[in-house]
Amino acid sequence: MSQTLPPPLFDPFAPGFTDDPYPQYAALRAAAPIYQHPFGFWLLTCYDDVSWLLRASLSVEDRNIAASPFQDLREQMWGEEAARPRGVSMLDRDPPDHTRLRRLVSKAFTPRAVQALQPRITGLVDGMLDAAERAGRVDLVDALAFPLPFAVIAELLGTPPADHERIRQLTGTVVRSLEPIADPAVASAIELTAIAADMIAWKRAHPADDLLTALINAEDDGDVLDDEELIAQTLLLYIAGHETTVNLIAGGTLALLRHPAQLALLRDDPALIANAVEELLRYDSPVQASRRITLEPVTVSGVTIPAGAFVMASLGSANRDEGFWGPDAAELRLDRKNARQHVSFGAGPHHCLGASLARLEASIALERLTTRFPGLALDGQVTWNGRINLRGPAHLPVSLGT
């Protein structure tokens, strides 16, 4: 007679999880805040533990996962190693490689370059809202949340004329490799790599005052990015520069529409927009989890995690932890004093390099949208993108009340 095992406390494949994962997170925080899944990986869900993990000197490189018992997990979570080409993106590298790559990219990705985009972002938003107003009813993902960050990162990089719609399709496929599902998207990754290589070759012949030229010219004591590194960083910036911001703008709009009193508060006090974006980031993180691999046994809140373990930090759960945020952690409060202490951009050496750009885009888009359309309202069924990690609305039908 076979034994029936109880269902795991954490089941991201359960029906409805990608629509609303927060009940599972709350149950985990209450019953097993440091949880070892039957598959073998560990999951941290409380704010203090997640914050510690993000700042600890642990690995992000999959090669540091022990061959057993985590080999099956690695293949299930990421696909077979040979089928998941990642190049040398700094997202997947430990020091000193990560330190070197981030230092070189940071020389180009400066606050001045980001702030210089403000007039252009405002113009793009206004143009997209003009088109939306003429339609009266739109899918806000297609009308604003997706095209805005895609256009901004393309202009910031200074990429040459290209089939942007094809790039959008490919990045949407490749980004699934960041999900805890074996979906390596090899063909799309190969095609994107070829496109990036062509972009870099074109930019070498046509330098300009843009990020891609700056990456090509980035130098630190004689150190420069080689062609393979340039391709990897360009693709990382392209994908990370728009996929997460789509979730922030669409998810933030949805949260406001579901909390009309908070939306009214923002309309009454537009100066609240900066803090509102921080609270929206906390309330529904565009990136739900981050991963680390232990190189030696570590003890977290009295629990010892062995060496070679795959550890997931649940950013979404940490951002709703009542132990840190208080009893109203599950509520949206745009005037929350400590909203900026969320972990949605990570922390420590892997803190999101594009956080300032995401904040700027969301601030302009949400402020212009909510001010211009006082009759803004949901007008149909919200559809989620079905992703566990880069979670957000795939379709957000709204009426602009015009």
Side-chain angles (χ1 to χ4, degrees):
M1 182 176 179
S2 61
Q3 181 182 6
T4 301
L5 298 176
L9 290 177
F10 177 65
D11 182 7
F13 305 106
F17 178 86
T18 54
D19 287 8
D20 183 9
Y22 295 103
Q24 276 203 40
Y25 295 157
L28 277 165
R29 290 194 302 272
I34 301 174
Y35 175 64
Q36 185 176 17
H37 195 278
F39 286 168
F41 68 90
W42 295 76
L43 178 65
L44 309 185
T45 53
C46 288
Y47 182 92
D48 288 344
D49 296 335
V50 166
S51 183
W52 171 84
L53 186 76
L54 295 173
R55 292 172 170 82
S57 299
L58 302 184
S59 177
V60 296
E61 298 188 15
D62 285 358
R63 67 186 181 190
N64 289 319
I65 302 177
S68 177
F70 301 103
Q71 182 64 32
D72 290 343
L73 166 67
R74 172 161 53 181
E75 293 182 3
Q76 176 155 358
M77 297 291 283
W78 299 115
E80 295 180 8
E81 189 70 17
R84 188 173 181 261
R86 287 203 316 262
V88 284
S89 159
M90 61 183 171
L91 187 68
D92 300 299
R93 288 294 177 261
D94 294 334
D97 290 340
H98 172 266
T99 306
R100 168 181 170 268
L101 291 170
R102 187 177 178 103
R103 182 173 61 242
L104 288 169
V105 174
S106 295
K107 286 179 172 291
F109 210 86
T110 63
R112 181 184 66 83
V114 171
Q115 284 302 315
L117 287 168
Q118 184 167 354
R120 179 56 179 152
I121 294 173
T122 302
L124 285 169
V125 169
D126 287 345
M128 292 172 188
L129 295 183
D130 287 344
E133 184 174 23
R134 289 191 293 270
R137 181 186 185 276
V138 296
D139 180 341
L140 200 71
V141 175
D142 290 339
L144 178 66
F146 205 117
L148 174 65
F150 190 88
V152 169
I153 195 63
E155 292 196 15
L156 180 63
L157 281 165
T159 51
D163 185 352
H164 284 177
E165 182 57 33
R166 180 58 179 159
I167 294 172
R168 171 179 170 175
Q169 294 169 358
L170 292 169
T171 57
T173 301
V174 168
V175 79
R176 293 204 298 266
S177 69
L178 300 177
E179 293 293 295
I181 302 171
D183 189 358
V186 177
S188 295
I190 291 172
E191 186 175 348
L192 267 179
T193 297
I195 290 173
D198 289 344
M199 287 179 175
I200 291 165
W202 187 90
K203 184 56 64 175
R204 288 188 190 280
H206 302 86
D209 183 18
D210 53 50
L211 179 54
L212 189 51
T213 299
L215 284 174
I216 292 170
N217 295 332
E219 186 268 342
D220 187 77
D221 197 21
D223 188 17
V224 297
L225 296 169
D226 62 29
D227 285 347
E228 184 180 355
E229 291 170 335
L230 275 170
I231 289 171
Q233 285 8 275
T234 299
L235 291 179
L236 172 63
L237 291 169
Y238 234 123
I239 295 171
H242 76 272
E243 284 286 348
T244 55
T245 309
V246 175
N247 295 344
L248 172 55
I249 295 172
T253 301
L254 177 59
L256 290 171
L257 291 174
R258 287 178 168 175
H259 296 81
Q262 293 298 303
L263 177 54
L265 182 67
L266 179 60
R267 286 196 174 113
D268 290 342
D269 183 10
L272 191 61
I273 186 62
N275 200 74
V277 168
E278 303 301 332
E279 174 66 354
L280 292 167
L281 282 160
R282 182 202 70 85
Y283 180 76
D284 198 4
S285 179
V287 180
Q288 288 280 301
S290 186
R291 79 186 194 281
R292 297 291 187 273
I293 295 98
T294 58
L295 300 178
E296 59 186 15
V298 297
T299 300
V300 187
S301 294
V303 177
T304 299
I305 300 175
F310 187 110
V311 186
M312 288 177 62
S314 178
L315 310 180
S317 177
N319 284 337
R320 299 254 191 129
D321 179 10
E322 301 87 348
F324 180 83
W325 302 99
D328 64 350
E331 299 175 16
L332 183 70
R333 274 186 38 210
L334 300 186
D335 58 354
R336 191 180 296 272
K337 298 300 182 186
N338 60 343
R340 198 178 172 95
Q341 291 181 260
H342 63 77
V343 290
S344 296
F345 290 127
H350 287 276
H351 182 268
C352 177
L353 193 63
S356 60
L357 178 59
R359 286 180 167 115
L360 180 63
E361 290 178 76
S363 295
I364 294 172
L366 293 174
E367 191 274 331
R368 307 291 276 196
L369 175 67
T370 56
T371 299
R372 180 166 173 174
F373 301 110
L376 182 69
L378 284 173
D379 191 19
Q381 183 68 35
V382 177
T383 304
W384 294 87
N385 61 18
R387 295 175 188 164
I388 296 166
N389 193 14
L390 298 186
R391 172 183 169 273
H395 298 288
L396 182 58
V398 298
S399 169
L400 302 177
T402 57

